Structure formats: C-alpha cells, structure tokens
Amino acid sequence: EIVLTQSPGTLSLSPGERVTLSCRASQSVNSNYLAWYQQKPGQTPRLLIFGASSRATGIPDRFGGSGSGTDFTLTISRLEPEDFAVYYCQQYGSSVWTFGQGTKVEI
Amino acid sequence: QITLKESGPTLVKPTQTLTLTCTFSGFSLSTSGVGVGWIRQPPGKALEWLAVIYWDDDKRYSPSLKSRLAIIKDTSRDQVVLTMTKTDPVDTATYYCVLHRGTYLKWGQGTLVTVST
C-alpha cells in the first residue's frame, strides 16, 4: 500500500500569498495517477487536479499541479479568500487507492 | 454529461449489513479501462478509499476492510452496489462513488449513513 504524506499539516497565510503544498509517496505513483482535492466544511471534496497536473473542469488557473514519481506539489499562485480549506492528495494508480491526511490552509 | 448518484439507507443498526447503490450515466462500465469505486469520510475525519470495480470485473478492496466488503456491477442497469457487513458506529460516514477512467476522476455528491441503535 502506498502511503501519502502531506506537509505541512496546517498553513497560516494571508490572501494574495503563494502556497505550495507537498504530497510525498512511499513508492512511485503509477503513471502519475495523482489527484488533489479541496474541501470546505460541510461540502463534498472538489476535484482540483487529476493526472498530477491536469486541472479539472472549472478550476481557476491559479491552481497548478506538478511532480512525478514520489514527489508531488499543489501550487496556488495567489490565495483568494475562498481558497481557505483542507486539501487532500490521492493516488489511484495502484491496486489500493490511498489518500493523504490533508493540509489545512487557514487565515 | 457524466453523473453518479449514491443511494441507500440513512440509518442502519450496528451489526446489520449496509447496501449502497451507485447509479451512473454518461459512461459505460463495459468500456475498457473504466472503473467505479467507493470512498467514505466520517464526520470531521479524512477520506478513506473502500473498493473499486473495473469493466472486466476486476475488484480491489481496502486491505483493512476487505473481509467486510463486496462490490458488484450491473452493467445493464448502470449501477454498482457496495455491501458492508457487520456495521459499527465507526462506519458512520458520507459514502461517495467515483468514476475512474484513465487519469480522470468524477465523484458523486455522496450519501450520509449513520450507524446507530
């Protein structure tokens, strides 16, 4: 089973700042089957990135995904007030899918 | 347009079997490479993957829950059914089904299931 470790656990930032979230895998992720989600309290997780770097439909271009192998990054180029949320990474390239524990981005 | 919708009981008693149905449209589970999976999230906790079934009937399960889960597909009805035996209050969660096609993913809106007496 591939373990995904997200860091940091919590980030305290201000609107307008650039954010870099890390997701590290215990083994190489197959064919970049790596996704990022945003979740706000009481809401369904919102798919931001799939295939490590492809933005999902309707996702603003301030969100960007990169990385390969075992190291992946979600970058938010300029934080908007609505971006304060919990972010999860997920790998779905192995026979057992796994999620990271989440990073909370707070004001 | 691709849609997935979860359905099932909102309340089950401990030790009972939970049966959830994912009804989808806009794709076929007969198409090569396509899979439908289940993910859950207990209130205030992280996401947890449960199971996935593919077009060729390949089935994969979470190692920690494998003994309690079964996933099947009904291609003619465009449905995937997940059963979970021996439920416990810790199984209280929102349950989501998700389409997996290549690198693409699409989630349903989820259904909240409470396990309680």
Side-chain angles (χ1 to χ4, degrees), chain B residues 11 19-20 25 31-32 40 43 53 61 63-65 70-71 75-76 78 83 85 88-91 93 103 111 115 117:
Chain B
L11 179 65
T19 299
L20 295 168
S25 64
T31 301
S32 178
R40 71 178 180 180
I53 187 166
Y61 296 99
S64 63
L65 292 167
I71 190 169
T75 306
S76 64
D78 287 341
T83 57
T85 62
D88 181 272
V90 300
D91 296 314
T103 59
T111 185
V115 181
T117 57

Side-chain angles (χ1 to χ4, degrees), chain A residues 1 31-33 35 37 39 43-45 47 49-51 54 57 88 90 92-102, chain B residues 36-37 39 41 45-49 51-52 54 60-63 96 98-100 102-110:
Chain A
E1 176 175 327
S31 301
N32 292 330
Y33 284 73
Y37 299 87
Q39 189 175 33
Q43 295 187 17
T44 299
L47 178 66
I49 302 288
F50 62 93
S54 299
T57 303
Y88 293 97
Q90 176 205 4
Y92 52 108
S94 70
S95 60
V96 175
W97 298 4
T98 50
F99 287 89
Q101 80 280 17
Chain B
V36 173
I39 291 162
Q41 185 174 37
K45 296 189 177 180
L47 296 161
E48 178 183 23
W49 172 73
V52 63
Y54 289 98
R60 309 294 175 89
Y61 296 99
S62 165
Y96 300 95
V98 57
L99 160 67
H100 176 204
T103 59
Y104 180 73
L105 297 166
K106 170 81 173 179
W107 290 43
Q109 285 298 303

Side-chain angles (χ1 to χ4, degrees), chain A residues 21-91:
Chain A
L21 306 182
S22 172
C23 178
R24 179 162 289 177
S26 60
Q27 306 168 42
S28 183
V29 174
N30 186 26
S31 301
N32 292 330
Y33 284 73
L34 193 288
W36 288 94
Y37 299 87
Q38 176 194 69
Q39 189 175 33
K40 299 177 183 178
Q43 295 187 17
T44 299
R46 177 193 186 195
L47 178 66
L48 300 174
I49 302 288
F50 62 93
S53 60
S54 299
R55 267 190 301 276
T57 303
I59 301 303
D61 60 7
R62 65 178 182 273
F63 291 93
S66 62
S68 64
T70 61
D71 288 295
F72 297 87
T73 299
L74 175 70
T75 300
I76 309 173
S77 60
R78 186 180 172 84
L79 266 178
E80 297 289 338
E82 61 267 29
D83 298 337
F84 291 92
V86 177
Y87 292 84
Y88 293 97
C89 60
Q90 176 205 4
Q91 68 78 24

